[in-house]
């Protein structure tokens, strides 16, 4: 009887009786590893294209980020002004005395400028005859705050003496302007349109 030899299987028995693929004939393990190493990584062209796209995305994003931070500064400054007005009105009603909120460059006396970003103070009594400083707001550098007046007098009932008071708040490189409007009865609100 003639024994026929079976063609060799592409699989070999490895450890624990499991089948594993045999390396292709003529290609040893070392040549397979070299082929794998040669195809991994980035080419110089791929790297240059990726960096070019990254530069384009960053150049588009930076101006948008600057506008966003400027608009945030405008919103923050208008909220600070609104809070100061509400605090002044509250102090007037709580104390039952006239209270003055005025622009101040030095943090201790009222100024005569309508540029409120340099700071302001809250004082007891009318602006013409101040007595006690109740609060100080230092300068706000990131926004421009222009008021229609240099001081706001609140009566002991929380009303504003004089005309309606308004503030215009904006920031350089921003696209948004906020207006803080104070009515004669002392109520303040922030809005995009003018007062």
């Amino acid at each position: 009887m003639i024994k026929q030899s079976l063609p060799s299987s592409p699989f070999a028995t490895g450890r624990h009786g499991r089948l594993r693929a045999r390396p292709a004939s003529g290609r040893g393990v070392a040549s397979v590893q070299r082929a794998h190493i040669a195809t991994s990584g980035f080419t110089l062209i791929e790297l240059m294209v990726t960096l070019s796209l990254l530069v384009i995305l960053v150049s588009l994003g930076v101006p948008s980020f600057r506008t966003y931070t400027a608009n945030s500064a405008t919103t923050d400054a208008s909220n600070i002004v609104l809070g100061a007005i509400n605090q002044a009105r509250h102090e007037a009603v709580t104390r039952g005395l006239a209270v003055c909120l005025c622009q101040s460059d030095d943090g201790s006396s009222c100024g005569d400028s309508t540029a409120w970003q340099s700071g302001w103070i809250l004082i007891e009594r009318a602006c013409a005859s101040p007595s006690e400083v109740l609060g100080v707001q230092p300068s706000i550098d990131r926004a421009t705050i222009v008021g229609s007046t240099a001081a706001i007098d609140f009566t002991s009932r929380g009303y504003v003496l004089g005309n309606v008071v308004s503030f215009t708040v904006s920031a350089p490189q921003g696209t948004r302007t906020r207006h803080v409007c104070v009515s004669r009865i002392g109520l303040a609100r922030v809005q995009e349109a003018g007062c």
Side-chain angles (χ1 to χ4, degrees), residues 7-93:
S8 64
S9 169
F11 298 102
T13 305
R15 282 193 199 175
H16 310 292
R18 295 187 183 140
L19 292 178
R20 61 179 176 84
R22 282 189 184 162
S25 61
R27 291 182 69 190
V29 174
S31 65
V32 171
Q33 288 176 344
R34 275 194 302 266
H36 178 67
I37 290 172
T39 60
S40 65
F42 297 106
T43 65
L44 183 59
I45 293 173
E46 291 171 334
L47 186 61
M48 294 299 286
V49 168
T50 303
L51 288 177
S52 299
L53 289 174
L54 182 64
V55 167
I56 290 169
L57 289 175
V58 167
S59 65
L60 291 175
V62 167
S64 298
F65 183 71
R66 285 185 184 150
T67 302
Y68 171 77
T69 55
N71 289 341
S72 293
T74 300
T75 302
D76 291 345
S78 60
N79 288 335
I80 291 171
V81 172
L82 180 66
I85 293 166
N86 288 335
Q87 179 188 3
R89 184 171 191 258
H90 174 75
E91 291 291 337
V93 172

Side-chain angles (χ1 to χ4, degrees), residues 130-148:
S131 64
E132 178 188 351
V133 176
L134 303 174
V136 177
Q137 171 65 45
S139 65
I140 298 173
D141 298 328
R142 294 177 49 200
T144 302
I145 305 167
V146 178
S148 60

Side-chain angles (χ1 to χ4, degrees), residues 110-125:
C110 290
D112 57 357
S113 173
T114 57
W116 287 66
Q117 70 268 9
S118 60
W120 55 82
I121 59 174
L122 178 62
I123 52 178
E124 191 178 274
R125 306 271 186 234

